[in-house]
Amino acid sequence: GQHSTHCNLDENNTLCEALQPFLIFGHGKAIHRMDLDGKNQRRLIAGVASSILLDFHFSEEQIYWVDKRTGIIYKSSVRGLHRQKLYSSDKHISGLTVDWIRNAVYWTSREKGRIKRMDTNGKSERTLVRHLTQPNSIVIDPTKRFLFWLSGGISPSIHRCDVTGQAKMTLIETSQQLKALSVDHRDRRLFWVQFGLQGESSIASTDYNGKALHIIDQPLQSDLLGIALFHKHIYYTDAASRAIKRINKYTGGEDLEVTLKQMAKVPVDIKVVHPDKQPMADSPSPGTCVNVCSGTAEQGVCQCSEGFALSKQGFYCEDVNECAHWNHGCSLGCENIPGSYFCTCPNGYALLPDKKTCREIMTCEGNATECGHGCLATDEGPVCVCPKGSVLKEDGQDCTGCSSADKGGCSQLCVPISPTRWRCDCLPGYQLHQDGKRCIASGPPPYLLVASLVAVQRINSDGTEGQILVHEPRGAIESLDYDPVSNHVYFASTSQKTIERVHMNGGSKRRVITNGPDSNHGLAVDWIHRKIYWTVTRQSILVSSTLDGLNVTTVVSSGLDKPTSITVHPLEKSLFWADIGHQPTVESCSLYGMDRRVIASTNLVSPGGLTVDFAEGRLFWCDESRVETCALDGSKRRILLENQVGRPFDLAVFEDSLWIVDRERRQLMSVYKQTGRELQRLLVDLVQPASVVVVHPLAKPGAASTHPLGGVGGGVSISSGKCPLLNLETHNPTLDCDKNSDGLSTKSAFLCKFQAGSHGNRQICQGVFSFIPCHHIMLLVFFFLLDIRKTPPSMTSSHPGNSVESCPSTHESYCLYQGICFYFPEVESYACNCVAGYMGERCQFSDLEWWELQQAEEERRRNVVVASCMVLLICLLSIAACVTYCYRCLTLISIYWPPLELTDRELGSQSMEQESIYLELHLSLGNGGGNGVFDTGSYKAFTGHLSKYWDIPWFPENIKCTHRAGTKHRIVQNGVFRL
């Protein structure tokens, strides 16, 4: 058959009764089953929702699924009986898998970034891994105790950890979209489907360590919903055709539709049910027959594919190591791979065309002198040889491949697959073009800024849709650059000798430097260290300042003749400039004028237009009628094009394009940066074109980790050496950083930051006053940076204390992702210096993960503020209600009990101070007559008014009022008070 067979042996151990594998999948609002040949489809479990993830437990005969809409996890027997709800508090479940050995269920939560587990009875639920980036498609190999899952986001990747959530590691990182992870327990490999930027698709696999990567180009639909492996086949659901299909997992090729007719509903998720899919140990136990069948065989007899052999027990097939049997035919070396092998040769030798025999590489003679890597002597004569990882081109002389100069035609990365095969890949942030070679930057399309005599305009990279940014500048603009952090464009006029800036969105211009460059292309913006660099030809110096034009400093003042064009590589901390003096050169130095070196000094006339390709690590410049390029250290120099442009004046490079300003022909053109071919004219009839730069988030890498604090020029800046601490108690202490570190200065503090891979003393403080210890300054910086609401730098915050030691061997793995561990004995704590792209206390977060955590923390803070405001508002409303109630009560009292004005009645001339008057109280409820009933409450209110004039004892009966001297009173008829 075309599948493996599980056999239960009879009592004589002679006959196997086959248990056929079958598929389970979501169909409509039910879970269905189907044989691998598309027959016997029927419903197993009804009422499970239309969007589900599922898995099974073979030995317990249970099916587990999750309703993605409600986030409820269920289980039921395969017969649809005894349905049980296991978990119901996560509506973002993106992956589900069952551990059939430890009887546990694992799932991923995409929005929460977590992996959780519980027992198969729904108990002991807990979180294993936190702070993940959009985890999904979790799978497990319980025999090896491994969990695997996919991560989304900007950099899709595949990760692994053990079943306890420990030992987390990244296996694969790619720029392509990853979907539908599945595990091959027999070959110990992971399989998945990936889609490129242009919709191209492939099936990829790797071993459990992320090695031995294998990719097969395979046209698939992007709405593929699930895959399942069974021996040499991959079964997958296709939403577009509403079918289940099958392809070979090793070779791909044309797919075979398993379903006999189009299904009524789209099949969702898929699994193959068979004991071979859930082995209980590394090898099958006696009494079972598990095998790979390559053809029709008698019942119970196992047959194996080529490259595999039946095990000694006769229960399964295992790989044949051809290299160990010495029947491979290789003359010197052999390397085994599953199901096959290939021959290898030691250094200095190469394979003959038979791919088995090694011959020594010799110097080419005669007609083969054009071979770049030597020749091999054959019976037919000498043939050109290529290094390992490359193959000979059709011309029979040049080589192509990862080990060749052309990198196999790849624009960025070349990944070897076998000695004669490779594939192209891209750096993070880029996606592979559908041609499989070029890399396209993610995000918005790039655009150009072009400066001419009359304007600075913004155009698309293909030369269309121009927009004026600066109209009629004060002088002729000769150089142009921009700051991606503050979105300001800086431009220099050599006639005015000024540097001005304007926002990308337009607005008023601001003059930054009044004594600026006097040469062409003499301006460069360092967007990371927040500096401007320019050349002054008449003084033969290189100068720098802050982005606001402050702290003007001479960087290089000796050994220069006529410096002109300048560019900067902040990540390498290097400056590059051209000198067109008596001996034209292209040179470089550090950002502080140290470590000068010559990049090019021969065959130069008037070099200029320097620009850096940050992705390739190469420098480009133009000279007379040609364009040249070399590595950043000056090696691998070559002419890219010559005599194809009139007078190249300035250059810009990004992705696979190189833009050239031709001043002689007054035009802007572009070429393919690898070969100088594919020449295109974008703009013509320009008025004295001068400078061009390309704008894109990836055109100036590292800008995302630079944070302006309070505007341009006032942000985080990185410099080296002894630098002042600004505005700190009106004093000027200094901080001297180690040579392998940078000074990270803010408006109020300074911090040493180590370069990736370096370590040493955290800082050496000089001139710091006794009332401001070094570690207090460090803490000031730490808390200052904590208040930033943007992505923090990738450096872990420094710990207090001046003495630093290397971590002991027990903490070698404390810092993750190749971070360097330090120990601070004064505070008995550990810290990590993270490599680029990672951050956190233990370097456990990638940039995107940290950003998401910061966003979550910011959301939490906002919720707390909103809740506090609501509580405060409720309290204020309650107080207002109480005040209003009291006020209304007093108002009512004043209405019903107005003040009594008492007048004297003829009482004679005798003194009233001691006279006693007996009164009968009648209370009238209203303005008129009518006697009310006396009660204690009315009495208290009434006597409150009388107490202003009379001393009244507190007795409700037989009231005796003593008249106060000097008061007027009025007693109504018969001594009755009436209101």
Side-chain angles (χ1 to χ4, degrees):
Q2 298 297 316
H3 50 76
S4 68
T5 307
H6 180 278
C7 307
N8 290 330
L9 301 182
D10 61 12
E11 58 183 4
N12 298 320
N13 290 332
T14 57
L15 180 63
C16 282
E17 181 180 357
L19 298 179
Q20 297 296 327
F22 60 90
L23 301 169
I24 58 172
F25 53 91
H27 184 249
K29 294 185 177 182
I31 296 177
H32 284 228
R33 59 94 61 206
M34 177 191 295
D35 292 344
L36 298 187
D37 57 4
K39 299 178 180 180
N40 298 325
Q41 178 183 350
R42 66 174 184 271
R43 185 179 63 188
L44 294 179
I45 304 172
V48 299
S50 58
S51 180
I52 64 170
L53 300 169
L54 59 86
D55 203 356
F56 67 96
H57 194 309
F58 186 85
S59 61
E60 292 185 355
E61 296 186 352
Q62 296 282 340
I63 295 178
Y64 295 76
W65 73 93
V66 56
D67 184 341
K68 295 173 65 176
R69 185 181 60 85
T70 62
I72 302 177
I73 299 177
Y74 300 90
K75 76 171 181 179
S76 173
S77 69
V78 294
R79 297 172 180 83
L81 305 176
H82 310 296
R83 180 180 302 193
Q84 179 182 352
K85 182 189 297 185
L86 301 179
Y87 181 82
S88 60
S89 61
D90 190 348
K91 294 185 178 181
H92 306 289
I93 296 178
S94 54
L96 181 75
T97 190
V98 174
D99 183 343
W100 59 90
I101 292 180
R102 295 166 189 84
N103 294 325
V105 180
Y106 299 83
W107 68 93
T108 53
S109 178
R110 180 185 293 269
E111 300 299 327
K112 296 180 180 179
R114 298 176 181 176
I115 296 177
K116 308 184 79 172
R117 62 96 57 202
M118 65 180 173
D119 295 339
T120 52
N121 57 8
K123 298 181 180 180
S124 303
E125 179 265 324
R126 67 180 185 270
T127 300
L128 294 182
V129 186
R130 305 176 187 269
H131 312 311
L132 302 178
T133 304
Q134 300 178 15
N136 62 92
S137 299
I138 189 170
V139 293
I140 188 172
D141 187 342
T143 62
K144 293 297 182 181
R145 298 173 55 85
F146 285 149
L147 288 169
F148 306 91
W149 69 93
L150 303 179
S151 286
I154 296 178
S155 299
S157 51
I158 302 176
H159 302 271
R160 186 192 84 186
C161 72
D162 62 26
V163 293
T164 64
Q166 303 299 313
K168 177 177 173 287
M169 65 178 295
T170 301
L171 303 182
I172 298 292
E173 286 186 337
T174 180
S175 59
Q176 298 192 344
Q177 182 185 11
L178 305 181
K179 284 190 175 183
L181 185 66
S182 186
V183 61
D184 187 337
H185 302 97
R186 178 173 299 280
D187 291 341
R188 304 272 197 282
R189 294 185 68 83
L190 300 172
F191 284 77
W192 67 93
V193 178
Q194 55 189 28
F195 296 90
L197 179 65
Q198 305 299 327
E200 64 275 15
S201 60
S202 57
I203 297 173
S205 68
T206 182
D207 61 20
Y208 285 179
N209 297 314
K211 308 297 182 182
L213 184 64
H214 183 66
I215 297 179
I216 302 173
D217 293 334
Q218 183 72 28
L220 296 170
Q221 298 292 333
S222 60
D223 52 359
L224 176 144
L225 300 175
I227 66 172
L229 289 165
F230 194 63
H231 297 310
K232 64 180 181 180
H233 289 124
I234 296 176
Y235 297 83
Y236 67 93
T237 58
D238 186 354
S241 61
R242 288 186 293 178
I244 297 176
K245 300 181 179 181
R246 184 187 75 188
I247 54 176
N248 188 288
K249 72 177 182 181
Y250 298 114
T251 61
E254 185 177 358
D255 54 29
L256 174 66
E257 192 162 318
V258 176
T259 48
L260 303 179
K261 61 181 179 179
Q262 188 180 58
M263 306 178 74
K265 302 289 184 179
V266 175
V268 180
D269 208 359
I270 188 171
K271 292 290 186 294
V272 177
V273 179
H274 192 269
D276 188 26
K277 292 293 296 178
Q278 295 188 348
M280 299 303 295
D282 286 346
S283 60
S285 58
T288 61
C289 175
V290 181
N291 56 78
V292 178
C293 300
S294 58
T296 305
E298 297 180 4
Q299 190 178 28
V301 179
C302 300
Q303 293 183 349
C304 300
S305 304
E306 183 179 0
F308 296 88
L310 197 63
S311 64
K312 294 181 179 180
Q313 296 84 2
F315 300 142
Y316 61 96
C317 296
E318 56 188 8
D319 177 49
V320 175
N321 187 350
E322 293 88 352
C323 297
H325 294 168
W326 292 101
N327 60 354
H328 44 71
C330 300
S331 62
L332 290 181
C334 178
E335 184 170 337
N336 182 66
I337 58 177
S340 185
Y341 70 99
F342 59 86
C343 300
T344 60
C345 296
N347 292 335
Y349 290 79
L351 287 172
L352 291 176
D354 64 2
K355 302 301 181 182
K356 291 183 178 293
T357 307
C358 293
R359 289 282 177 87
E360 185 177 6
I361 300 174
M362 57 173 44
T363 303
C364 298
E365 298 178 356
N367 295 331
T369 55
E370 297 293 332
C371 296
H373 299 86
C375 293
L376 290 177
T378 66
D379 296 338
E380 290 79 16
V383 296
C384 293
V385 67
C386 292
K388 183 179 180 180
S390 298
V391 296
L392 201 62
K393 290 184 178 179
E394 294 181 358
D395 60 9
Q397 295 178 342
D398 295 327
C399 296
T400 180
C402 294
S403 56
S404 299
D406 68 348
K407 296 193 305 184
C410 301
S411 64
Q412 290 186 355
L413 303 178
C414 183
V415 181
I417 298 177
S418 72
T420 58
R421 296 182 58 216
W422 62 88
R423 67 176 179 86
C424 298
D425 204 350
C426 300
L427 296 171
Y430 293 82
Q431 293 184 339
L432 196 64
H433 190 267
Q434 60 183 0
D435 62 9
K437 297 181 179 296
R438 291 181 292 170
C439 294
I440 307 299
S442 302
Y447 62 88
L448 304 176
L449 297 176
V450 182
S452 63
L453 178 65
V454 297
V456 174
Q457 56 182 324
R458 166 180 172 172
I459 64 172
N460 293 334
S461 58
D462 58 0
T464 60
E465 297 183 8
Q467 176 185 350
I468 301 299
L469 187 61
V470 178
H471 185 67
E472 295 182 356
R474 282 186 277 264
I477 298 176
E478 295 288 347
S479 51
L480 180 75
D481 206 351
Y482 74 100
D483 175 25
V485 178
S486 63
N487 288 326
H488 279 98
V489 179
Y490 292 77
F491 52 95
S493 170
T494 57
S495 60
Q496 299 289 326
K497 296 181 177 58
T498 60
I499 297 178
E500 298 178 89
R501 78 181 183 202
V502 66
H503 198 271
M504 287 279 196
N505 298 327
S508 60
K509 299 186 291 292
R510 176 189 171 188
R511 183 170 293 183
V512 178
I513 298 293
T514 57
N515 188 18
D518 59 354
S519 58
N520 300 332
H521 322 304
L523 175 65
V525 173
D526 183 344
W527 61 94
I528 291 181
H529 305 93
R530 320 302 292 150
K531 294 287 187 69
I532 312 173
Y533 295 89
W534 69 91
T535 58
V536 183
T537 303
R538 67 181 184 277
Q539 299 180 17
S540 300
I541 57 175
L542 305 183
V543 188
S544 72
S545 76
T546 66
L547 295 181
D548 285 328
L550 305 176
N551 300 333
V552 178
T553 306
T554 300
V555 180
V556 180
S557 59
S558 62
L560 299 178
D561 192 355
K562 293 183 179 180
T564 56
S565 177
I566 188 172
T567 190
V568 62
H569 194 318
L571 302 180
E572 294 291 335
K573 302 179 180 63
S574 297
L575 287 173
F576 299 87
W577 72 91
D579 194 319
I580 59 173
H582 179 70
Q583 179 63 44
T585 58
V586 176
E587 298 184 63
S588 73
C589 70
S590 71
L591 298 180
Y592 318 105
M594 309 299 292
D595 303 325
R596 284 183 63 175
R597 59 186 182 274
V598 176
I599 301 299
S601 60
T602 60
N603 300 323
L604 295 175
V605 178
S606 181
L610 271 66
T611 188
V612 174
D613 185 347
F614 298 101
E616 291 285 317
R618 296 188 67 85
L619 180 69
F620 291 79
W621 70 87
C622 51
D623 186 13
E624 289 295 318
S625 60
R626 68 175 181 266
V627 175
E628 296 189 62
T629 179
C630 70
L632 296 181
D633 60 359
S635 62
K636 301 179 181 178
R637 177 183 173 185
R638 62 188 176 92
I639 297 176
L640 187 63
L641 72 162
E642 188 173 14
N643 298 324
Q644 299 181 39
V645 293
R647 183 189 170 193
F649 195 74
D650 196 20
L651 306 174
V653 63
F654 185 62
E655 294 180 335
D656 294 310
S657 297
L658 177 71
W659 291 271
I660 306 171
V661 172
D662 187 346
R663 173 163 281 190
E664 180 179 290
R665 299 175 181 174
R666 298 189 304 158
Q667 60 187 8
L668 175 68
M669 59 186 66
S670 68
V671 298
Y672 181 50
K673 72 177 183 180
Q674 299 287 355
T675 62
R677 300 174 182 174
E678 303 178 22
L679 181 65
Q680 294 181 344
R681 289 174 175 82
L682 306 180
L683 291 178
V684 296
D685 297 329
L686 295 172
V687 181
Q688 194 175 325
S691 186
V692 59
V693 294
V694 60
V695 180
H696 188 274
L698 296 177
K700 291 195 172 186
S705 60
T706 305
H707 308 281
L709 306 178
V712 181
V716 176
S717 61
I718 302 177
S719 56
S720 182
K722 188 182 297 183
C723 303
L725 280 156
L726 306 178
N727 302 327
L728 194 58
E729 299 291 340
T730 68
H731 296 289
N732 191 32
T734 58
L735 185 69
D736 200 9
C737 296
D738 183 87
K739 66 179 182 179
N740 292 324
S741 63
D742 304 313
L744 179 63
S745 64
T746 68
K747 287 184 175 180
S748 60
F750 195 96
L751 173 65
C752 289
K753 173 183 174 181
F754 290 117
Q755 300 173 8
S758 303
H759 62 278
N761 232 359
R762 280 282 173 178
Q763 74 275 353
I764 304 172
C765 294
Q766 299 177 351
V768 180
F769 299 95
S770 59
F771 61 90
I772 310 178
C774 280
H775 63 274
H776 288 180
I777 297 173
M778 305 295 284
L779 288 175
L780 285 174
V781 178
F782 176 74
F783 290 111
F784 186 73
L785 292 178
L786 278 181
D787 195 48
I788 299 176
R789 293 298 182 263
K790 296 183 179 180
T791 309
S794 61
M795 175 60 188
T796 304
S797 302
S798 177
H799 291 257
N802 295 326
S803 60
V804 183
E805 299 177 0
S806 298
C807 293
S809 58
T810 56
H811 284 69
E812 287 180 352
S813 59
Y814 179 79
C815 299
L816 306 177
Y817 300 109
Q818 302 178 354
I820 299 175
C821 180
F822 298 99
Y823 176 64
F824 294 83
E826 293 185 3
V827 293
E828 297 183 352
S829 72
Y830 299 88
C832 295
N833 181 23
C834 305
V835 299
Y838 293 93
M839 54 186 61
E841 181 182 357
R842 298 182 60 190
C843 308
Q844 69 268 38
F845 303 116
S846 68
D847 288 345
L848 180 62
E849 291 171 345
W850 180 270
W851 172 254
E852 291 175 345
L853 290 176
Q854 291 295 92
Q855 292 294 97
E857 179 65 18
E858 186 68 20
E859 181 68 20
R860 186 189 66 82
R861 292 179 181 177
R862 283 197 296 266
N863 293 338
V864 171
V865 171
V866 171
S868 301
C869 292
M870 292 298 295
V871 171
L872 180 61
L873 180 61
I874 292 173
C875 293
L876 292 176
L877 291 175
S878 300
I879 294 173
C882 293
V883 171
T884 303
Y885 176 77
C886 295
Y887 176 76
R888 289 177 60 85
C889 290
L890 292 176
T891 303
L892 290 174
I893 291 174
S894 64
I895 291 174
Y896 289 110
W897 301 98
L900 296 177
E901 181 182 357
L902 302 178
T903 59
D904 289 336
R905 186 182 175 188
E906 292 183 18
L907 297 175
S909 60
Q910 58 182 358
S911 174
M912 299 296 294
E913 294 182 5
Q914 303 298 327
E915 183 175 352
S916 298
I917 303 176
Y918 294 90
L919 305 175
E920 177 183 3
L921 298 180
H922 296 275
L923 303 182
S924 177
L925 304 178
N927 295 326
N931 295 334
V933 180
F934 181 83
D935 64 290
T936 302
S938 300
Y939 171 76
K940 290 181 180 180
F942 181 65
T943 56
H945 288 281
L946 292 184
S947 62
K948 299 179 181 179
Y949 312 98
W950 302 82
D951 295 327
I952 303 177
W954 193 253
F955 298 105
E957 298 177 357
N958 301 323
I959 299 174
K960 178 181 180 180
C961 298
T962 303
H963 188 275
R964 291 181 179 175
T967 60
K968 295 182 179 181
H969 62 279
R970 176 169 54 87
I971 301 178
V972 188
Q973 301 174 4
N974 301 322
V976 176
F977 284 93
R978 192 172 296 276
L979 300 180

